[in-house]
Amino acid sequence: MTPAVLDVVDIVYNYPAVSSPTLAGLNLRIAAGESVAIVGPSGSGKSTLLRLCGLLDHPETGEIRLVGERVTYSPERRRSRLRATTIGFVFQDFQLLRDRDALGNVLLGAMYHPTLARREASQRSRELLDQVGLSHRVGAVPGKLSGGEQQRVAIVRALVGDPALLICDEPTGNLDTSTAKEIRDVLRDLCSNRGMALLLATHDPATWSSVDRIYDLHDGRLHVHKPDAC
Ligand SMILES: Nc1ncnc2c1ncn2[C@@H]1O[C@H](COP(=O)(O)OP(=O)(O)OP(=O)(O)O)[C@@H](O)[C@H]1O
Ligand SMILES: [Mg+2]
């Protein structure tokens, strides 16, 4: 059987001084080409789950497998390499560097990639920026970009290394209706054409009917989303 791109098994995560676990034995499996949206009220743990899946933090117990490899307790050097080559991460607050222009920020996504040459990365960055309607803004620093433009730069930065798994925290939260649709279309095409797996958090499940599965996160676990319950 082909391994899932992401396999999350029984993970538990507690923040210090928080009485009940934020994630309480959570399971999730995403195959190549599949897309999954996580919904849930503010504070339910969506960003926490995404950070763990992005190897930015460790669960207390349980396991995370990436393309069949058990990575939960891998050495930090190995986890860094996987973050550079296999995972693209779009933060809820973008985390763009203020002193670099859009292109410079996107190129950061390729900086630690072991095989992507700078020239190739630069060409790919420009193509992707063009694809999301930002070819005229490549030289603008984040302070001169709208929230929606910054969000698109953050998405392109995550895509430049051609990740097997793209993780997006509220990827269309700051976008107008038509740009949000364009971003959803770009992400959908990446899943179907390149076999990329997509994991995203959203407050707006109604607009994500294009994904394969939607789960509600509550009580630290995932439940199949029922539109009426939201
Ligand atoms: N560093 C931290 N220390 C302690 N508690 C934290 C920390 N970060 C988050 N929390 C708490 O953990 C819970 C889950 O937070 P998380 O950011 O994962 O929620 P979320 O579902 O992404 O919310 P939102 O929809 O507002 O983005 C919240 O109760 C939050 O207050
Ligand atoms: Mg969040």
Side-chain angles (χ1 to χ4, degrees), residues 83-102:
R83 282 196 296 272
T85 56
T86 310
I87 302 171
F89 201 100
V90 181
F91 293 90
Q92 193 165 6
D93 58 357
F94 319 136
Q95 298 201 7
L96 299 177
L97 292 191
R98 301 171 64 82
D99 61 346
R100 296 207 185 200
D101 62 19

Side-chain angles (χ1 to χ4, degrees), residues 15-16 18 22 41-48 92 170 203:
Y15 284 107
V18 175
T22 302
S42 185
S44 57
K46 302 181 294 298
S47 295
T48 306
Q92 193 165 6
E170 302 280 350
H203 279 111

Side-chain angles (χ1 to χ4, degrees), residues 12 42 129 154:
V12 172
S42 185
L129 284 165

Side-chain angles (χ1 to χ4, degrees), residues 5-229:
V5 173
L6 176 70
D7 205 356
V8 171
V9 185
D10 278 337
I11 54 166
V12 172
Y13 189 88
N14 291 273
Y15 284 107
V18 175
S19 53
S20 54
T22 302
L23 305 177
L26 182 147
N27 291 278
L28 172 65
R29 190 179 168 88
I30 310 181
E34 276 189 331
S35 49
V36 167
I38 309 290
V39 295
S42 185
S44 57
K46 302 181 294 298
S47 295
T48 306
L49 171 63
L50 267 47
R51 284 177 56 79
L52 294 177
C53 294
L55 310 188
L56 297 167
D57 207 345
H58 296 83
E60 315 229 328
T61 59
E63 185 164 278
I64 294 175
R65 294 185 202 127
L66 206 54
V67 202
E69 181 176 336
R70 300 167 71 166
V71 295
T72 326
Y73 308 105
S74 295
E76 196 44 44
R77 180 186 276 196
R78 177 65 188 151
R79 286 165 58 92
S80 299
R81 189 177 171 103
L82 287 165
R83 282 196 296 272
T85 56
T86 310
I87 302 171
F89 201 100
V90 181
F91 293 90
Q92 193 165 6
D93 58 357
F94 319 136
Q95 298 201 7
L96 299 177
L97 292 191
R98 301 171 64 82
D99 61 346
R100 296 207 185 200
D101 62 19
L103 182 61
N105 266 288
V106 170
L107 283 170
L108 286 174
M111 201 162 110
Y112 298 105
H113 197 291
T115 55
L116 189 60
R118 188 172 167 89
R119 192 163 161 184
E120 192 187 345
S122 178
Q123 187 184 340
R124 190 167 152 71
S125 300
R126 288 177 186 277
E127 281 168 11
L128 286 164
L129 284 165
D130 187 34
Q131 218 177 325
V132 298
L134 284 180
S135 49
H136 62 302
R137 302 298 274 146
V138 290
V141 292
K144 299 257 165 83
L145 295 171
S146 71
E149 288 171 334
Q150 290 180 50
Q151 193 147 37
R152 282 180 276 167
V153 171
I155 289 171
V156 169
R157 180 180 61 185
L159 289 174
V160 75
D162 202 13
L165 171 66
L166 180 68
I167 301 176
C168 299
D169 206 344
E170 302 280 350
T172 53
N174 289 286
L175 303 181
D176 61 71
T177 312
S178 77
T179 313
K181 183 178 179 318
E182 276 167 31
I183 293 291
R184 286 195 298 274
D185 289 348
V186 167
L187 296 177
R188 189 200 54 218
D189 290 350
L190 284 161
C191 292
S192 54
N193 301 339
R194 295 176 188 236
M196 190 183 75
L198 173 65
L199 171 63
L200 62 95
T202 180
H203 279 111
D204 191 10
T207 63
W208 285 98
S209 55
S210 56
V211 300
D212 294 308
R213 282 173 279 138
I214 304 181
Y215 294 110
D216 287 314
L217 176 50
H218 61 81
D219 299 331
R221 293 200 181 88
L222 296 179
H223 308 262
V224 174
H225 175 66
K226 298 194 180 72
D228 298 337

